[in-house]
Amino acid sequence: MFAMKNIPFNLFPSRGATVMFANIEAPNGSSASYTENIVIDVENMIVNEIGEDLKSYTSKIGEYFTNKADIEIALTPTSDRERPSEDMAEKLKELVKNVEGAEEIKISLLVILPRSPCEQSFAEIENEGVPTDDNVAEIFDAIFPLLIFFEAY
């Protein structure tokens, strides 16, 4: 009970996720080149819309099927940006509706949430609570099994 009252807990990050995904599907039978042209259009929208909040992006085209592609979008840390990731994702969802030739484009966020405040609190207590340069990896290894991945969009 002491831990529940005395260890700060934030279920939802104040400014959202730091990773977004764009999953692109062209019509069945589309060539990798056709899909690549769609990806280029989406990449340009990402760069223009996210701007300075974009850390990097990585595109995979035709990993299993030539008509499918995925873009992983890394955002700057939440503390370094003014706009929440949810706003950026909503704007991108609107923009990609205008991409010609795509069957479907999904924009999603990766948000890691603890399963419960109690589990997070115990993990923090076991690892002395405050991360330092020396114990960040240790804390992550201890907490990661307690986390779930949640697609917000």
Side-chain angles (χ1 to χ4, degrees), residues 61-136:
I61 302 166
E63 188 172 16
Y64 298 106
F65 301 99
T66 58
N67 70 316
K68 295 190 179 191
D70 298 304
I71 304 173
E72 181 179 333
I73 306 156
L75 303 172
T76 57
T78 56
S79 59
D80 294 345
R81 57 184 146 94
E82 294 297 317
R83 293 189 303 166
S85 56
E86 294 83 2
D87 290 352
M88 290 183 252
E90 284 298 321
K91 181 67 174 174
L92 281 176
K93 285 171 75 173
E94 289 301 313
L95 290 172
V96 299
K97 288 179 182 178
N98 300 321
V99 174
E100 289 186 37
E103 289 261 321
E104 183 176 30
I105 301 174
K106 293 180 182 176
I107 303 295
S108 58
L109 294 171
L110 175 67
V111 179
I112 301 174
L113 301 174
R115 288 189 182 164
S116 75
C118 183
E119 288 174 340
Q120 181 180 2
S121 297
F122 288 129
E124 288 173 353
I125 290 169
E126 287 176 15
N127 291 288
E128 301 175 8
V130 181
T132 66
D133 289 340
D134 296 330
N135 69 0
V136 164

Side-chain angles (χ1 to χ4, degrees), residues 3-30:
M4 295 292 289
K5 292 181 181 178
N6 296 301
I7 295 178
F9 174 73
N10 184 2
L11 182 60
F12 294 98
S14 61
R15 292 190 197 147
T18 57
V19 178
M20 289 195 300
F21 296 96
N23 304 104
I24 300 165
E25 187 171 342
N28 282 331
S30 297

Side-chain angles (χ1 to χ4, degrees), residues 7-70:
I7 295 178
F9 174 73
N10 184 2
L11 182 60
F12 294 98
S14 61
R15 292 190 197 147
T18 57
V19 178
M20 289 195 300
F21 296 96
N23 304 104
I24 300 165
E25 187 171 342
N28 282 331
S30 297
S31 67
S33 176
Y34 181 89
T35 306
E36 180 182 23
N37 289 330
I38 296 170
V39 169
I40 290 169
D41 288 345
V42 175
E43 288 173 342
N44 289 331
M45 290 177 180
I46 291 166
V47 170
N48 291 331
E49 176 55 33
I50 297 177
E52 292 179 2
D53 294 327
L54 179 64
K55 184 175 180 182
S56 66
Y57 64 90
T58 305
S59 301
K60 292 181 189 176
I61 302 166
E63 188 172 16
Y64 298 106
F65 301 99
T66 58
N67 70 316
K68 295 190 179 191
D70 298 304

